[in-house]
Amino acid sequence: MSTTAVPTAPPVSPARPGRRAIGALGVLALSLGTLQSVVEPALPMLQRELGVSPAEGALVSNALLITGAVLAPVAGKLGDRYGGKRVLLWLMAVVSTGGLLAGLAPNLPTLLAGQVLQGVMVGALPLSFILVRKHLSTGESQAAIGVVLALFTGGGIIGTSVAGPIAHALSWQWIFALPTIVILTATAAVARLMPHDPPAPSDERIDWLGVALLSVTLLALMVGLVAVTGGLPPIGIAAVVAVVAGLATTWVFVERRAASPMVDLRMLARPAIRSAFVLTFITSVAFGMVVLLLPQLFAVPGDGHGFGLSTTDIGLLLLPGAIAGAVSDSIGGLAARRFGSRAVVLTGIGVTAATMIVLSSLHDAPWQLAVAKVLAAFAAGAGTTALLAGTASTVDAKDTGIATSLLVVTRVFGIIVGSQVAGSILVAGTDPLTGLPAEPAFVTGFLVAGLITTLSIFFLRRNGARS
């Protein structure tokens, strides 16, 4: 007796997002970057309107930074487990609530609460990376990651530019309300257009103890960095180091024994991944030094080695560098796809090192500093984006969110540390007669930034950053 074979259905390939879906994701990144950056230029106005001191006003911007650094890895891990789109939509509900709360805030505590909720927006970056990694090819995802980062950075430029005009034409509340309205619209478009990414199949429970320990460790580190920047005494710095080291050691101990750890430490131990984290930190430290040194040199009175420029003039001179940083994020992803992340990182390191060394002896005109900012921002942006895109395509798909979120946090930490190092150099080189940083202090700062960047070349050659 013969049997008839029943034809089996071909496997169903996952739906690919169309251009409108990627566009909606890009608009969301742009509006998030805008909302993140509106506080800094409007801070003096917020202090006057709310009747708070500069120290209290600083809490407004620091609250978002701290929350973002702490929760980004958590969001990435949850996205790996439950799906990037699902977690992204929940995250945007929290961000939108924070934006609306800040837009209606009658006092500082309410505004701070809104900023804390908005801070979770940093987690949108690794969640976006999860989506493009799952739905696009390796080359396409590397390019898309660069575009998302570029739009997020571009949103920062928009927020810095429009915050003042909006606040003066309407009120300061609208600097939070308008970007939030765009976020709500873009989130609805992502929900409708972006294909669902299924949760990772797993019977293992989430390592909530590891999640809590990593969050507390990052919180202690962020608060410690902010405190150090505010002039913490040496004994306080030692206490911060001891607390962070103790928490980090405990977290590693727990992760090594967890059945399903929050972070697979074996993944972090891989040479390519380890190199990506180290190089991201080194590059970001050098760029953080540039971010602080250049405005300070612009502002030093012009009868000495500075130029005595106004805040408006400084902003105009630094604007091309900000634009270059946004463009470089997009180009970094495309270049990583075409040439490999190693080549892009090495080029960025070389450009940054050469720029800083030249700047240490050639800083007699404002245009020289403006060009240096363009070169440094472009090199740093392209290099760190290439590392991010390369890491996203190197790790297992189930680890995309946690790996990229930790790299994003490393980038933030590096910039903060670099700013602190540069500030310490300027303080040490202050002229006791004028109370202003002397020219040798700036020269030292540029040389240190160049030296730090140059050392990363030797690290790259010794350890390698695989494409």
Side-chain angles (χ1 to χ4, degrees), residues 327-426:
V327 173
S328 69
D329 285 334
S330 176
I331 292 179
L334 293 171
R337 176 185 180 183
R338 175 66 177 83
F339 304 106
S341 60
R342 180 187 175 90
V344 179
V345 172
L346 188 59
T347 302
I349 289 172
V351 170
T352 302
T355 300
M356 292 300 99
I357 292 173
V358 171
L359 192 59
S360 66
S361 58
L362 193 65
H363 48 263
D364 303 321
W367 69 266
Q368 296 169 350
L369 276 65
V371 170
K373 176 63 185 295
V374 169
L375 292 174
F378 192 91
T384 54
T385 301
L387 288 167
L388 191 58
T391 299
S393 60
T394 299
V395 300
D396 295 336
K398 65 181 181 64
D399 293 322
T400 302
I402 187 61
T404 55
S405 63
L406 288 174
L407 272 178
V408 170
V409 173
T410 301
R411 191 176 184 178
V412 173
F413 284 159
I415 292 175
I416 295 174
V417 170
S419 298
Q420 177 61 28
V421 170
S424 300
I425 291 174
L426 293 184

Side-chain angles (χ1 to χ4, degrees), residues 97 103 105 109 113 135 193 258 264 270 274 276 347 380 448:
T97 301
H135 293 305
L193 299 172
D264 187 349
R270 290 164 56 184
R274 184 177 64 246
T347 302
V448 170

Side-chain angles (χ1 to χ4, degrees), residues 256-272:
R256 284 180 172 177
R257 286 156 178 77
S260 178
M262 178 192 182
V263 179
D264 187 349
L265 298 180
R266 293 171 300 178
M267 174 192 70
L268 298 183
R270 290 164 56 184

